[in-house]
Amino acid sequence: DGGITQSPKYLFRKEGQNVTLSCEQNLNHDAMYWYRQDPGQGLRLIYYSQIVNDFQKGDIAEGYSVSREKKESFPLTVTSAQKNPTAFYLCASSIKYRETQYFGPGTRLLVL
Amino acid sequence: QQQVKQSPQSLIVQKGGISIINCAYENTAFDYFPWYQQFPGKGPALLIAIRPDVSEKKEGRFTISFNKSAKQFSLHIMDSQPGDSATYFCAASDLAAGNKLTFGGGTRVLVKP
């Protein structure tokens, strides 16, 4: 079964805690992306990576960090510096220099 | 400016009717315009996409119309079905700048049987 998996489906964060969201793809895609979706709103780009060991900030990178040590994995850490982390987080991937981005099922992050 | 403005925020259409969603953009470097469909609690799925060298693209009941001079594009859903009830997002990107998608705010479509 090829595709993008995100885990966990739901994640609860305590005050001052860092949490990490997992994104794995077995599509052999070069590029991976993280988006944030707030209720009733469109998606906003947090970070993206075109190649292993390289990534760039998107429009709302503050309070987030990423790593890209393997082609198939692009984890997102929501740090304690992100003061309003409650949102639906979506990971996507695409073939390098090709248009179509495929999205995972998402992780809903809630603050306790 | 990277904004993509989408309207309406929501619409209700009778089964068999036509749903029309409009988007406008500002960045003239954008050269890829996809539409995504999203069901509650799920990730968006690509519905149809267009490049600016064509003015219209049709796939089944879904048609994109593109007006480069006006910097506007729209999605038409013909013969709308209850299963089309979802939120639709337009987006735009500059492929040469990393294919970072800029999304519109979304349109919630309800198709009444």
Short mmCIF file of all heavy atoms in Angstrom, two decimals, chain A residues 5-56:
data_model
loop_
_atom_site.label_atom_id
_atom_site.label_comp_id
_atom_site.label_asym_id
_atom_site.label_seq_id
_atom_site.Cartn_x
_atom_site.Cartn_y
_atom_site.Cartn_z
N THR A 5 1.61 8.38 5.52
CA THR A 5 1.02 8.10 6.82
C THR A 5 1.45 9.17 7.81
O THR A 5 2.60 9.63 7.79
CB THR A 5 1.43 6.72 7.34
OG1 THR A 5 2.87 6.64 7.39
CG2 THR A 5 0.93 5.62 6.42
N GLN A 6 0.51 9.56 8.64
CA GLN A 6 0.78 10.52 9.70
C GLN A 6 0.33 9.90 11.03
O GLN A 6 -0.71 9.27 11.12
CB GLN A 6 0.00 11.83 9.48
CG GLN A 6 0.52 12.63 8.30
CD GLN A 6 -0.17 13.99 8.22
OE1 GLN A 6 -0.85 14.29 7.24
NE2 GLN A 6 0.01 14.80 9.24
N SER A 7 1.16 10.11 12.03
CA SER A 7 0.77 9.61 13.36
C SER A 7 1.26 10.57 14.42
O SER A 7 2.26 11.28 14.24
CB SER A 7 1.36 8.22 13.59
OG SER A 7 2.78 8.25 13.54
N PRO A 8 0.53 10.62 15.57
CA PRO A 8 -0.73 9.94 15.78
C PRO A 8 -1.87 10.69 15.09
O PRO A 8 -1.66 11.77 14.55
CB PRO A 8 -0.87 9.99 17.31
CG PRO A 8 -0.21 11.28 17.68
CD PRO A 8 0.95 11.43 16.73
N LYS A 9 -3.07 10.15 15.16
CA LYS A 9 -4.23 10.83 14.58
C LYS A 9 -4.63 12.01 15.46
O LYS A 9 -5.02 13.06 14.99
CB LYS A 9 -5.39 9.85 14.46
CG LYS A 9 -6.58 10.41 13.69
CD LYS A 9 -7.61 9.34 13.44
CE LYS A 9 -8.78 9.92 12.63
NZ LYS A 9 -9.79 8.88 12.31
N TYR A 10 -4.53 11.81 16.79
CA TYR A 10 -4.80 12.87 17.77
C TYR A 10 -3.60 12.97 18.71
O TYR A 10 -3.01 11.95 19.08
CB TYR A 10 -6.06 12.56 18.59
CG TYR A 10 -7.33 12.54 17.79
CD1 TYR A 10 -7.84 11.34 17.29
CD2 TYR A 10 -8.03 13.71 17.51
CE1 TYR A 10 -9.01 11.31 16.55
CE2 TYR A 10 -9.20 13.68 16.76
CZ TYR A 10 -9.67 12.49 16.30
OH TYR A 10 -10.83 12.47 15.56
N LEU A 11 -3.27 14.18 19.10
CA LEU A 11 -2.14 14.40 19.98
C LEU A 11 -2.49 15.51 20.95
O LEU A 11 -3.05 16.55 20.56
CB LEU A 11 -0.90 14.78 19.16
CG LEU A 11 0.43 14.94 19.90
CD1 LEU A 11 0.81 13.65 20.62
CD2 LEU A 11 1.53 15.34 18.92
N PHE A 12 -2.17 15.27 22.22
CA PHE A 12 -2.48 16.25 23.24
C PHE A 12 -1.17 16.82 23.79
O PHE A 12 -0.25 16.06 24.12
CB PHE A 12 -3.30 15.61 24.37
CG PHE A 12 -4.62 15.11 23.89
CD1 PHE A 12 -4.77 13.80 23.44
CD2 PHE A 12 -5.72 15.94 23.88
CE1 PHE A 12 -5.99 13.33 22.99
CE2 PHE A 12 -6.95 15.48 23.42
CZ PHE A 12 -7.08 14.18 22.98
N ARG A 13 -1.10 18.11 23.89
CA ARG A 13 0.11 18.76 24.37
C ARG A 13 -0.17 19.50 25.67
O ARG A 13 -1.18 20.20 25.78
CB ARG A 13 0.64 19.77 23.34
CG ARG A 13 2.06 20.24 23.63
CD ARG A 13 2.50 21.40 22.77
NE ARG A 13 2.21 22.69 23.38
CZ ARG A 13 2.74 23.83 23.01
NH1 ARG A 13 3.59 23.86 22.01
NH2 ARG A 13 2.42 24.96 23.61
N LYS A 14 0.72 19.32 26.61
CA LYS A 14 0.63 20.07 27.87
C LYS A 14 1.40 21.37 27.72
O LYS A 14 2.29 21.49 26.87
CB LYS A 14 1.20 19.24 29.02
CG LYS A 14 0.41 17.99 29.33
CD LYS A 14 1.05 17.23 30.48
CE LYS A 14 0.28 15.95 30.78
NZ LYS A 14 0.92 15.16 31.87
N GLU A 15 1.09 22.30 28.59
CA GLU A 15 1.77 23.60 28.59
C GLU A 15 3.28 23.42 28.70
O GLU A 15 3.76 22.65 29.53
CB GLU A 15 1.26 24.42 29.79
CG GLU A 15 1.49 25.90 29.69
CD GLU A 15 0.52 26.57 28.73
OE1 GLU A 15 -0.63 26.15 28.65
OE2 GLU A 15 0.96 27.52 28.06
N GLY A 16 4.04 24.09 27.82
CA GLY A 16 5.50 24.05 27.90
C GLY A 16 6.14 22.80 27.34
O GLY A 16 7.35 22.62 27.43
N GLN A 17 5.34 21.95 26.73
CA GLN A 17 5.85 20.67 26.23
C GLN A 17 6.13 20.76 24.73
O GLN A 17 5.40 21.41 23.98
CB GLN A 17 4.80 19.59 26.51
CG GLN A 17 5.21 18.18 26.20
CD GLN A 17 4.08 17.20 26.47
OE1 GLN A 17 2.92 17.48 26.23
NE2 GLN A 17 4.43 16.04 27.00
N ASN A 18 7.20 20.09 24.30
CA ASN A 18 7.44 19.91 22.87
C ASN A 18 6.80 18.59 22.44
O ASN A 18 6.87 17.59 23.17
CB ASN A 18 8.94 19.83 22.57
CG ASN A 18 9.67 21.14 22.79
OD1 ASN A 18 9.05 22.16 23.07
ND2 ASN A 18 10.97 21.11 22.67
N VAL A 19 6.18 18.58 21.28
CA VAL A 19 5.62 17.34 20.76
C VAL A 19 6.05 17.17 19.31
O VAL A 19 6.25 18.15 18.60
CB VAL A 19 4.08 17.30 20.85
CG1 VAL A 19 3.63 17.24 22.29
CG2 VAL A 19 3.46 18.49 20.13
N THR A 20 6.18 15.90 18.88
CA THR A 20 6.62 15.62 17.52
C THR A 20 5.57 14.85 16.76
O THR A 20 5.05 13.83 17.25
CB THR A 20 7.95 14.84 17.53
OG1 THR A 20 8.96 15.65 18.15
CG2 THR A 20 8.39 14.50 16.11
N LEU A 21 5.25 15.33 15.56
CA LEU A 21 4.29 14.71 14.67
C LEU A 21 5.08 13.95 13.60
O LEU A 21 6.02 14.49 13.01
CB LEU A 21 3.40 15.75 14.02
CG LEU A 21 2.30 16.40 14.86
CD1 LEU A 21 2.87 17.18 16.04
CD2 LEU A 21 1.46 17.32 13.98
N SER A 22 4.64 12.74 13.34
CA SER A 22 5.34 11.89 12.38
C SER A 22 4.70 11.98 11.00
O SER A 22 3.48 12.06 10.87
CB SER A 22 5.32 10.44 12.86
OG SER A 22 5.78 9.57 11.85
N CYS A 23 5.54 11.98 9.96
CA CYS A 23 5.08 11.90 8.58
C CYS A 23 6.02 10.98 7.81
O CYS A 23 7.24 11.21 7.78
CB CYS A 23 5.04 13.27 7.92
SG CYS A 23 4.55 13.18 6.17
N GLU A 24 5.46 9.92 7.25
CA GLU A 24 6.25 8.94 6.49
C GLU A 24 5.58 8.73 5.14
O GLU A 24 4.36 8.66 5.05
CB GLU A 24 6.31 7.61 7.22
CG GLU A 24 6.86 7.66 8.64
CD GLU A 24 8.37 7.61 8.68
OE1 GLU A 24 8.98 7.02 7.76
OE2 GLU A 24 8.96 8.17 9.63
N GLN A 25 6.41 8.61 4.08
CA GLN A 25 5.87 8.33 2.75
C GLN A 25 6.69 7.23 2.08
O GLN A 25 7.92 7.21 2.23
CB GLN A 25 5.80 9.59 1.89
CG GLN A 25 7.09 10.38 1.75
CD GLN A 25 7.90 10.07 0.51
OE1 GLN A 25 7.50 9.26 -0.34
NE2 GLN A 25 9.06 10.71 0.38
N ASN A 26 5.99 6.36 1.37
CA ASN A 26 6.68 5.30 0.63
C ASN A 26 6.45 5.45 -0.87
O ASN A 26 6.42 4.47 -1.62
CB ASN A 26 6.24 3.92 1.13
CG ASN A 26 4.76 3.68 0.95
OD1 ASN A 26 4.05 4.50 0.38
ND2 ASN A 26 4.29 2.55 1.44
N LEU A 27 6.29 6.69 -1.29
CA LEU A 27 6.04 7.01 -2.69
C LEU A 27 7.33 7.35 -3.44
O LEU A 27 7.29 7.65 -4.62
CB LEU A 27 5.07 8.21 -2.77
CG LEU A 27 3.70 7.99 -2.11
CD1 LEU A 27 2.95 9.31 -2.00
CD2 LEU A 27 2.90 6.97 -2.89
N ASN A 28 8.44 7.33 -2.72
CA ASN A 28 9.74 7.71 -3.28
C ASN A 28 9.73 9.17 -3.78
O ASN A 28 10.42 9.51 -4.74
CB ASN A 28 10.14 6.78 -4.44
CG ASN A 28 11.64 6.85 -4.73
OD1 ASN A 28 12.45 7.07 -3.82
ND2 ASN A 28 12.01 6.67 -5.98
N HIS A 29 8.96 10.01 -3.10
CA HIS A 29 8.91 11.42 -3.44
C HIS A 29 10.09 12.16 -2.83
O HIS A 29 10.52 11.88 -1.71
CB HIS A 29 7.60 12.03 -2.93
CG HIS A 29 6.42 11.66 -3.76
ND1 HIS A 29 5.14 12.04 -3.42
CD2 HIS A 29 6.31 10.96 -4.92
CE1 HIS A 29 4.30 11.58 -4.34
NE2 HIS A 29 4.99 10.91 -5.25
N ASP A 30 10.60 13.14 -3.58
CA ASP A 30 11.74 13.91 -3.09
C ASP A 30 11.32 15.02 -2.13
O ASP A 30 11.99 15.29 -1.15
CB ASP A 30 12.47 14.57 -4.27
CG ASP A 30 12.88 13.55 -5.32
OD1 ASP A 30 13.85 12.83 -5.06
OD2 ASP A 30 12.24 13.50 -6.38
N ALA A 31 10.20 15.67 -2.44
CA ALA A 31 9.79 16.85 -1.69
C ALA A 31 8.72 16.51 -0.66
O ALA A 31 7.83 15.70 -0.92
CB ALA A 31 9.26 17.92 -2.65
N MET A 32 8.83 17.13 0.49
CA MET A 32 7.83 16.96 1.54
C MET A 32 7.50 18.30 2.15
O MET A 32 8.34 19.22 2.17
CB MET A 32 8.31 15.96 2.60
CG MET A 32 8.54 14.56 2.03
SD MET A 32 8.95 13.32 3.27
CE MET A 32 7.34 13.05 4.04
N TYR A 33 6.26 18.43 2.64
CA TYR A 33 5.73 19.70 3.12
C TYR A 33 4.92 19.49 4.40
O TYR A 33 4.29 18.45 4.59
CB TYR A 33 4.79 20.32 2.06
CG TYR A 33 5.37 20.42 0.67
CD1 TYR A 33 5.40 19.32 -0.17
CD2 TYR A 33 5.88 21.63 0.19
CE1 TYR A 33 5.93 19.40 -1.45
CE2 TYR A 33 6.39 21.72 -1.10
CZ TYR A 33 6.42 20.61 -1.90
OH TYR A 33 6.95 20.70 -3.16
N TRP A 34 4.91 20.52 5.24
CA TRP A 34 4.02 20.55 6.40
C TRP A 34 3.14 21.79 6.30
O TRP A 34 3.63 22.91 6.10
CB TRP A 34 4.79 20.61 7.72
CG TRP A 34 5.18 19.27 8.25
CD1 TRP A 34 6.42 18.71 8.25
CD2 TRP A 34 4.32 18.32 8.89
NE1 TRP A 34 6.39 17.47 8.83
CE2 TRP A 34 5.10 17.21 9.24
CE3 TRP A 34 2.95 18.31 9.20
CZ2 TRP A 34 4.58 16.10 9.89
CZ3 TRP A 34 2.44 17.20 9.84
CH2 TRP A 34 3.24 16.11 10.18
N TYR A 35 1.81 21.56 6.47
CA TYR A 35 0.84 22.64 6.48
C TYR A 35 0.06 22.61 7.79
O TYR A 35 -0.14 21.56 8.39
CB TYR A 35 -0.16 22.50 5.32
CG TYR A 35 0.45 22.65 3.95
CD1 TYR A 35 0.98 21.56 3.27
CD2 TYR A 35 0.45 23.90 3.31
CE1 TYR A 35 1.53 21.70 2.01
CE2 TYR A 35 0.98 24.05 2.05
CZ TYR A 35 1.52 22.94 1.41
OH TYR A 35 2.05 23.09 0.15
N ARG A 36 -0.43 23.77 8.16
CA ARG A 36 -1.31 23.89 9.32
C ARG A 36 -2.67 24.37 8.83
O ARG A 36 -2.77 25.27 7.98
CB ARG A 36 -0.72 24.91 10.30
CG ARG A 36 -1.67 25.33 11.41
CD ARG A 36 -1.06 26.34 12.35
NE ARG A 36 -2.08 26.86 13.26
CZ ARG A 36 -1.88 27.13 14.53
NH1 ARG A 36 -0.67 26.96 15.07
NH2 ARG A 36 -2.85 27.58 15.29
N GLN A 37 -3.75 23.74 9.37
CA GLN A 37 -5.11 24.17 9.02
C GLN A 37 -5.87 24.49 10.29
O GLN A 37 -6.00 23.66 11.18
CB GLN A 37 -5.83 23.06 8.24
CG GLN A 37 -7.21 23.48 7.76
CD GLN A 37 -7.87 22.43 6.90
OE1 GLN A 37 -7.63 21.23 7.04
NE2 GLN A 37 -8.73 22.86 5.98
N ASP A 38 -6.36 25.72 10.37
CA ASP A 38 -7.20 26.14 11.48
C ASP A 38 -8.66 26.02 11.07
O ASP A 38 -8.97 26.10 9.87
CB ASP A 38 -6.85 27.57 11.90
CG ASP A 38 -5.47 27.63 12.54
OD1 ASP A 38 -5.36 27.22 13.70
OD2 ASP A 38 -4.51 28.04 11.86
N PRO A 39 -9.57 25.86 12.04
CA PRO A 39 -10.99 25.63 11.71
C PRO A 39 -11.54 26.66 10.74
O PRO A 39 -11.39 27.87 10.97
CB PRO A 39 -11.68 25.70 13.07
CG PRO A 39 -10.64 25.29 14.04
CD PRO A 39 -9.34 25.84 13.49
N GLY A 40 -12.17 26.19 9.68
CA GLY A 40 -12.81 27.08 8.72
C GLY A 40 -11.85 27.89 7.88
O GLY A 40 -12.26 28.86 7.23
N GLN A 41 -10.58 27.50 7.87
CA GLN A 41 -9.59 28.27 7.12
C GLN A 41 -8.82 27.38 6.15
O GLN A 41 -8.88 26.15 6.22
CB GLN A 41 -8.62 28.95 8.08
CG GLN A 41 -9.28 29.97 8.98
CD GLN A 41 -8.26 30.73 9.80
OE1 GLN A 41 -7.13 30.97 9.36
NE2 GLN A 41 -8.64 31.11 11.01
N GLY A 42 -8.08 28.02 5.28
CA GLY A 42 -7.23 27.30 4.35
C GLY A 42 -5.96 26.82 5.03
O GLY A 42 -5.73 27.06 6.20
N LEU A 43 -5.13 26.13 4.26
CA LEU A 43 -3.89 25.59 4.78
C LEU A 43 -2.77 26.63 4.65
O LEU A 43 -2.72 27.37 3.66
CB LEU A 43 -3.49 24.34 3.99
CG LEU A 43 -4.29 23.06 4.25
CD1 LEU A 43 -5.71 23.14 3.73
CD2 LEU A 43 -3.56 21.87 3.64
N ARG A 44 -1.88 26.64 5.63
CA ARG A 44 -0.72 27.53 5.58
C ARG A 44 0.56 26.72 5.72
O ARG A 44 0.63 25.82 6.56
CB ARG A 44 -0.83 28.58 6.69
CG ARG A 44 -1.97 29.59 6.48
CD ARG A 44 -2.00 30.61 7.60
NE ARG A 44 -2.42 30.01 8.87
CZ ARG A 44 -2.29 30.61 10.04
NH1 ARG A 44 -1.76 31.80 10.12
NH2 ARG A 44 -2.70 30.01 11.15
N LEU A 45 1.56 27.06 4.94
CA LEU A 45 2.79 26.30 4.88
C LEU A 45 3.70 26.59 6.06
O LEU A 45 4.00 27.76 6.34
CB LEU A 45 3.52 26.61 3.57
CG LEU A 45 4.82 25.85 3.31
CD1 LEU A 45 4.54 24.37 3.13
CD2 LEU A 45 5.51 26.41 2.07
N ILE A 46 4.15 25.54 6.74
CA ILE A 46 5.03 25.70 7.89
C ILE A 46 6.49 25.52 7.46
O ILE A 46 7.32 26.40 7.67
CB ILE A 46 4.70 24.67 8.99
CG1 ILE A 46 3.22 24.76 9.40
CG2 ILE A 46 5.60 24.90 10.21
CD1 ILE A 46 2.79 23.65 10.34
N TYR A 47 6.84 24.38 6.91
CA TYR A 47 8.18 24.06 6.43
C TYR A 47 8.05 23.18 5.19
O TYR A 47 7.05 22.50 5.00
CB TYR A 47 8.96 23.28 7.49
CG TYR A 47 9.79 24.11 8.44
CD1 TYR A 47 9.31 24.44 9.71
CD2 TYR A 47 11.07 24.55 8.08
CE1 TYR A 47 10.08 25.19 10.60
CE2 TYR A 47 11.85 25.29 8.97
CZ TYR A 47 11.35 25.61 10.22
OH TYR A 47 12.11 26.34 11.09
N TYR A 48 9.10 23.18 4.38
CA TYR A 48 9.16 22.25 3.27
C TYR A 48 10.59 21.83 3.02
O TYR A 48 11.54 22.52 3.40
CB TYR A 48 8.52 22.85 2.01
CG TYR A 48 9.23 24.03 1.41
CD1 TYR A 48 9.98 23.90 0.24
CD2 TYR A 48 9.13 25.29 1.97
CE1 TYR A 48 10.62 24.98 -0.32
CE2 TYR A 48 9.76 26.38 1.42
CZ TYR A 48 10.49 26.23 0.27
OH TYR A 48 11.13 27.32 -0.28
N SER A 49 10.72 20.68 2.37
CA SER A 49 12.03 20.10 2.09
C SER A 49 12.03 19.53 0.68
O SER A 49 11.16 18.74 0.33
CB SER A 49 12.34 19.00 3.10
OG SER A 49 13.47 18.25 2.71
N GLN A 50 13.00 19.94 -0.11
CA GLN A 50 13.09 19.45 -1.49
C GLN A 50 14.03 18.26 -1.59
O GLN A 50 14.00 17.53 -2.59
CB GLN A 50 13.59 20.57 -2.41
CG GLN A 50 12.70 21.80 -2.46
CD GLN A 50 11.46 21.58 -3.31
OE1 GLN A 50 11.36 20.64 -4.08
NE2 GLN A 50 10.48 22.44 -3.17
N ILE A 51 14.88 18.09 -0.56
CA ILE A 51 15.90 17.05 -0.64
C ILE A 51 16.34 16.68 0.78
O ILE A 51 16.19 17.50 1.70
CB ILE A 51 17.09 17.55 -1.49
CG1 ILE A 51 18.01 16.40 -1.90
CG2 ILE A 51 17.85 18.64 -0.76
CD1 ILE A 51 19.04 16.82 -2.93
N VAL A 52 16.87 15.49 0.93
CA VAL A 52 17.33 15.05 2.25
C VAL A 52 18.38 16.01 2.80
O VAL A 52 19.20 16.55 2.05
CB VAL A 52 17.91 13.62 2.15
CG1 VAL A 52 18.55 13.19 3.47
CG2 VAL A 52 16.82 12.63 1.76
N ASN A 53 18.30 16.24 4.11
CA ASN A 53 19.23 17.11 4.84
C ASN A 53 19.13 18.58 4.46
O ASN A 53 20.07 19.36 4.72
CB ASN A 53 20.68 16.63 4.69
CG ASN A 53 20.92 15.29 5.39
OD1 ASN A 53 20.37 15.04 6.45
ND2 ASN A 53 21.73 14.45 4.77
N ASP A 54 18.02 18.96 3.86
CA ASP A 54 17.80 20.36 3.52
C ASP A 54 16.32 20.69 3.67
O ASP A 54 15.46 19.89 3.28
CB ASP A 54 18.24 20.64 2.09
CG ASP A 54 18.20 22.13 1.77
OD1 ASP A 54 18.61 22.93 2.64
OD2 ASP A 54 17.75 22.50 0.68
N PHE A 55 16.02 21.85 4.27
CA PHE A 55 14.63 22.26 4.41
C PHE A 55 14.59 23.78 4.51
O PHE A 55 15.58 24.44 4.85
CB PHE A 55 13.96 21.62 5.62
CG PHE A 55 14.75 21.69 6.91
CD1 PHE A 55 14.71 22.82 7.70
CD2 PHE A 55 15.54 20.62 7.30
CE1 PHE A 55 15.44 22.89 8.88
CE2 PHE A 55 16.26 20.67 8.48
CZ PHE A 55 16.21 21.80 9.28
N GLN A 56 13.42 24.35 4.20
CA GLN A 56 13.25 25.79 4.22
C GLN A 56 11.99 26.16 5.00
O GLN A 56 11.03 25.40 5.06
CB GLN A 56 13.11 26.36 2.80
CG GLN A 56 14.39 26.38 2.00
CD GLN A 56 14.76 25.04 1.46
OE1 GLN A 56 13.90 24.29 1.00
NE2 GLN A 56 16.05 24.72 1.50
#
